[in-house]
Amino acid sequence: MTVPLPFDNSYARLPERFFARLGPTPVAAPKLVRLNRALAAGLGLDPDWLAGPDGVGFLAGNHVPAGAEPLAAAYAGHQFGNFVPQLGDGRAILVGEVVDRTGTRRDVQLKGSGPTPFSRRGDGRAALGPVLREYVLSEAMAALGIPTTRALAAVTTGERVYREEALPGAVLARVASSHIRVGTFQFFAAQGDVEALRLLADHAIHRHYPEAAESARPYCALLERVVAAQAALVARWLNVGFIHGVMNTDNVSIAGETIDYGPCAFMDEYDPATVFSAIDRHGRYAYGNQPRIAQWNLARFAETLLPLLSGSEAEAVAEAEAAVAAFAPRFEEAYLAGLRAKLGLATAEDGDLALGRDLLRVMAENRADFTLTFRRLCDAAAGPEGDDGVRRLFAEPAAYDAWAEGWRRRLAREPLDGAERARAMRAANPAFIPRNHRVEAVIRAAVDREDFAPFEELLAVLADPYRDQPAFAHYADPPKPEERVLRTFCGT
Ligand code: AMP
Ligand code: MG
């Protein structure tokens, strides 16, 4: 069989101790649930071939195409603060890399593709529910403009996987700028394998931050860029109400993309203590903790690079500490820029952060819906006749009125007129996010009734999140009390 996949695999050229070479385990009866045709075309892959029997066989792991050099990558990681020296791809296979239409190298990985030497006690498989959750969430993030891995396809396997119950099995084909994680560096650091660390760092620089190679101190430049990318990423998460849920160091991408969607979710009512993940009992990865945790993860990354940094050990530590400390100001800057855009502020004044924080505090006190408050604020920015829609989201509407007085005084010092401001704000405040109850409903329909129509409709709405879509206005609604979903599961 000849297969039109133009693989060019750079990770597979690294030393053998970086991975285990093996292919996916074939499945009984692959069936395509969805192919992301636009993404496929952007990768230079033929969507019609992918949707045909050979393509679906490839997406399910039944055919390994010519040019693929499949492997399971080795990595370690801190899970909920505890170091595990060996994790690795326990249910994923990197099939290969392709260079996309923009010249960017992208990994094509199959998740749920069978056991590997890193599976520990797991079965190497994925259930349909979590595959659909990752598909919806990652594509929603992409449409929101937030760096993320992408979903290329979902297939069902015709096999059952056993969790608490028997569930339909599935494979997600996902695309990433790379799957290099903080945990990949930790894997070699824990073994004192400085040669591997250097090769990995060089690979990451070449692939993601080529300008760092020009620096006099390239490994410090790598660290600084990863810090900057994570600061920008987590700021974007906070600005849309996203909670990753499992910010373990093995789930932190060196490329700065959102990766490893497990029990992640978007917040409805604003509360910085919000946690959905059933396994996050102490709220380590709560919405408002995410910046602090990101910095902690980056400190772990910095530690792995110490042997590569120049000068004495004390100098290396000082260099690493300075680079990690830069997270806080970078995060604040990115977060504030996002908040200003959300509030309709095109200029910068000293009190802007306080103004935004005041709104968030009042929202928390009044259990206001995060996404809807900001979306309706766009109407209020056009003129006070828009206030009513926002007020109604607050348990005590007068609390909004009090805040809005100060906001209007601030807007009066802005150059744009109301209509222009409202338009700019709608590009910063989405109408549509993958609300948890919608995601759950989509999963239930697919898993219980093999009905994928709700999944398709939700994806279509989320593909255009910043535009009002009157026919789908109900997708912007928060859950009714009986629809609320308070817990999410990683389903592994
Ligand atoms: P995750 O929670 O998806 O970030 O995964 C954490 C670790 O557990 C990684 O090493 C995964 O490869 C592994 N893992 C998760 N689910 C499974 C599974 N069903 N079978 C084998 N390994 C798994
Ligand atoms: Mg993971």
Side-chain angles (χ1 to χ4, degrees), residues 412-430:
R413 298 192 291 276
E414 281 284 306
L416 299 182
D417 72 30
E420 290 170 320
R421 179 180 308 125
R423 201 170 324 116
M425 283 174 73
R426 286 193 187 98
N429 293 309

Side-chain angles (χ1 to χ4, degrees), residues 274-287:
T274 304
V275 175
F276 288 102
S277 169
I279 56 170
D280 189 2
R281 291 202 187 84
H282 305 289
R284 179 180 169 90
Y285 300 136
Y287 169 84

Side-chain angles (χ1 to χ4, degrees), residues 63-85:
H63 306 306
V64 174
E69 293 171 87
L71 60 86
Y75 53 84
H78 275 90
Q79 298 191 306
F80 291 90
N82 303 309
F83 186 65
V84 183

Side-chain angles (χ1 to χ4, degrees), residues 36 39 134-136 138-139 149-153 172-175:
N36 189 337
L39 180 65
E134 175 156 352
Y135 199 121
V136 169
S138 63
E139 287 305 298
T149 62
R150 300 292 305 269
L152 175 62
L172 178 77
R174 79 173 175 193
V175 172

